[in-house]
Amino acid sequence: MLLFFRYIASDLLMLIFLSLCRMSPKNGCPSNHRREHCFELSDGEASSFSSPCSPAPSLSQTESEDCPFGGRFSFQDPMEPQRKKLKGKRTRSKVRNELTVTKQRKNRRVKANDRERNRMHNLNSALDSLRSVLPTFPDDAKLTKIETLRFAHNYIWALSETLRMADHSLLSLGQQQDMRDTLQSLPKSCFMMDLTSPSSSCSSSTEWDSLYSPVSQSSSHSPTSLLMYISVNIFYLIVMYILGFPFFYPFHPRGSISIIIQNVLFFYFPFI
DNA sequence: TAGGCCATCTGGTCCT
DNA sequence: AGGACCAGATGGCCTA
């Protein structure tokens, strides 16, 4: 039974870490997901990406017919006086340069908006991947972004704490070595996720886990048995819920007491 | 209707 | 110069 739990917990940890690590920019990128909402891209992209009116340095002398300013400033009137011609040329050149700069700036802005949109889509995809490995019930509402991050933080903490306790109290030396090998086989980058901005350690009592996290990892409770640990944990859950902190529970960020109890039974089912 | 959440735009900053 | 990242602003949608 203990081995079963150990494998379950290791798999869950692995899923979370891998989900955090697999967020490469090109993986599952919904780059064209909401392209239709970009009202400027239809015109802006056409001009900025493929049109000869794009802000190229050599634009001034090589305007094409596609450019709205291409034919307007050609100097093909031989009847115009030379002086007036030069003055008008300077003025028109200045206006054209301003228009070119404005157009160039607008094109850059459109491209930047597109990149920013894709970047946020990637971020949302990563959050969806994280949500998919968090234990929620089917009828639960979708976790918000902040709830997802806090939930994942607490969930990892809870799993780590459970593993640590099992590691200390119940596993043999050989099993402990196996677990260490499993954890060490994970890519180092998986452990470098800095979700807690001040520190990646769970022991820092920052605003991140001030209300929503359980006790810090530095707390050195040493239960003599798993049953005692579970009993204390459940009692702690109920007391904290009664005291008005229902969201601290690591396995459900906004659950009612019934859902919390369900989660407790679900999570500890292998032990019961 | 106020407040929360979200998507998007935008300008600034830093890095390559 | 251009891209990535960030934070502020804004407007839409939803819910209590």
Side-chain angles (χ1 to χ4, degrees), chain A residues 47-213:
Chain A
S47 60
S48 63
F49 298 143
S50 60
S51 165
C53 291
S54 62
S58 60
L59 174 69
S60 56
Q61 302 300 327
T62 60
E63 291 168 348
S64 73
E65 292 179 1
D66 293 334
C67 178
F69 312 105
R72 288 172 55 190
F73 300 110
S74 62
F75 308 101
Q76 296 175 352
D77 187 2
M79 305 301 292
E80 198 170 278
Q82 189 72 16
R83 197 169 177 178
K84 196 173 179 181
K85 192 175 179 180
L86 288 175
K87 184 179 178 182
K89 184 178 181 179
R90 260 188 250 114
T91 305
R92 285 190 292 267
S93 179
K94 184 179 178 182
V95 171
R96 187 178 58 186
N97 286 338
E98 289 176 356
L99 288 173
T100 300
V101 168
T102 302
K103 197 176 184 68
Q104 182 179 8
R105 197 174 301 156
K106 184 180 177 182
N107 289 336
R108 273 203 292 261
R109 190 63 260 169
V110 169
K111 290 170 68 177
N113 290 345
D114 199 25
R115 286 193 306 271
E116 176 68 11
R117 212 178 300 120
N118 289 334
R119 196 180 70 86
M120 297 308 296
H121 288 168
N122 287 335
L123 184 61
N124 290 337
S125 296
L127 278 169
D128 286 338
S129 299
L130 182 58
R131 282 189 192 99
S132 67
V133 297
L134 293 176
T136 54
F137 286 92
D139 56 344
D140 288 344
K142 181 183 177 183
L143 297 176
T144 65
K145 292 180 177 180
I146 187 65
E147 284 174 344
T148 301
L149 292 177
R150 283 175 173 152
F151 192 3
H153 173 266
N154 295 344
Y155 186 51
I156 291 171
W157 173 87
L159 292 179
S160 302
E161 191 71 7
T162 305
L163 283 176
R164 185 186 65 80
M165 191 211 63
D167 190 21
H168 281 302
S169 61
L170 293 174
L171 294 183
S172 67
L173 289 178
Q175 289 170 331
Q176 292 179 24
Q177 186 59 44
D178 289 343
M179 183 174 292
R180 285 191 204 97
D181 293 341
T182 301
L183 292 176
Q184 287 172 1
S185 66
L186 291 172
K188 193 175 181 180
S189 59
C190 293
F191 298 93
M192 300 294 286
M193 290 296 296
D194 192 15
L195 289 178
T196 61
S197 53
S199 167
S200 61
S201 169
C202 293
S203 60
S204 62
S205 59
T206 61
E207 184 183 359
W208 171 265
D209 52 6
S210 60
L211 237 181
Y212 299 92
S213 285

Side-chain angles (χ1 to χ4, degrees), chain A residues 226-265:
Chain A
L226 209 53
L227 186 60
M228 176 67 74
Y229 175 77
I230 295 170
S231 302
V232 170
N233 198 3
I234 294 176
F235 177 75
Y236 185 57
L237 294 178
I238 295 174
V239 169
M240 291 302 289
Y241 185 87
I242 293 173
L243 290 179
F245 299 99
F247 295 157
F248 87 100
Y249 184 56
F251 304 113
H252 205 285
R254 56 179 175 206
S256 64
I257 187 66
S258 62
I259 291 180
I260 287 178
I261 292 174
Q262 288 178 37
N263 278 320
V264 169
L265 295 176

